[in-house]
Amino acid sequence: MTRELALGLVLLLAVVLIFVGVLAWRRRGRRDSGITAPVGEAPAGATETSRTSGLYVATTRHGDALERLAIGGLAFRSRVEVTVTDRGVALDLTGKPRIFLSTGRIQSVAQATVAIDRVVERDGLVRIAWRADSGDVVDTYLRPQETSARVLADAIGATLTSRTTSHTPGSDT
């Protein structure tokens, strides 16, 4: 086999793999098109309780940390500014509109070690389980950089605890 033929075969294989990857991602996007992230600002009067920056890792199906969802605004890894308020959590991903997860949407918050292809020290990620508009429960994974995952999880958990004492049934804020 000549060097030119080998190069041609490698390039052809690369093009085929890229094409298959694009088709697979488009298929995943169609599959997940019914799941949307709640874009918007915190309600008027919301009080900020903490703020930290870090990395947005992924959003997956609830309980399946290896099944990435192609949700608009949450499809790709990014830097994130996380703002915890008494009404929920705001996620500001680089170049994307603000996503606000109200306390009525958030099901639980915990620490995690694995999400998609990210493995960190024990309990180094924050997992927020929340309900999308479609009713699906999904998990969003964050890797805080300015503070520990425990501190961020506790700040969000405190918001959820206050929700149970002052939240009116049927309210989403």
Side-chain angles (χ1 to χ4, degrees):
M1 182 181 303
T2 67
R3 178 178 252 171
E4 291 79 17
L5 180 59
L7 178 63
L9 288 175
V10 168
L11 288 176
L12 178 64
L13 179 63
V15 168
V16 167
L17 289 175
I18 290 170
F19 179 73
V20 168
V22 168
L23 285 179
W25 188 255
R26 291 180 69 198
R27 181 176 170 210
R28 182 175 296 258
R30 282 192 303 274
R31 177 197 72 186
D32 299 335
S33 64
I35 304 172
T36 57
V39 175
E41 296 295 324
T47 304
E48 181 179 314
T49 58
S50 80
R51 179 185 295 259
T52 190
S53 66
L55 297 173
Y56 163 74
V57 176
T59 296
T60 66
R61 295 200 181 281
H62 181 62
D64 189 357
L66 301 178
E67 181 65 33
R68 180 184 301 272
L69 296 175
I71 300 174
L74 294 173
F76 301 105
R77 194 174 284 161
S78 173
R79 299 200 57 60
V80 66
E81 182 79 21
V82 181
T83 306
V84 180
T85 72
D86 60 344
R87 305 272 181 97
V89 179
L91 304 176
D92 293 305
L93 281 70
T94 304
K96 301 293 181 189
R98 173 175 271 192
I99 294 169
F100 185 75
L101 304 174
S102 67
T103 56
R105 286 184 184 276
I106 299 174
Q107 305 290 309
S108 66
V109 63
Q111 290 177 262
T113 302
V114 177
I116 306 295
D117 59 353
R118 177 71 58 176
V119 178
V120 298
E121 73 278 0
R122 182 175 169 83
D123 295 333
L125 297 172
V126 174
R127 180 188 54 79
I128 304 171
W130 56 277
R131 184 182 31 79
D133 291 335
S134 62
D136 295 300
V137 177
V138 298
D139 295 335
T140 293
Y141 293 88
L142 306 170
R143 173 111 167 116
Q145 292 183 318
E146 295 175 348
T147 188
S148 72
R150 166 57 50 207
V151 169
L152 180 57
D154 287 347
I156 297 169
T159 299
L160 298 179
T161 302
S162 69
R163 169 191 71 180
T164 60
T165 59
S166 65
H167 181 68
T168 55
S171 171
D172 194 29
T173 56

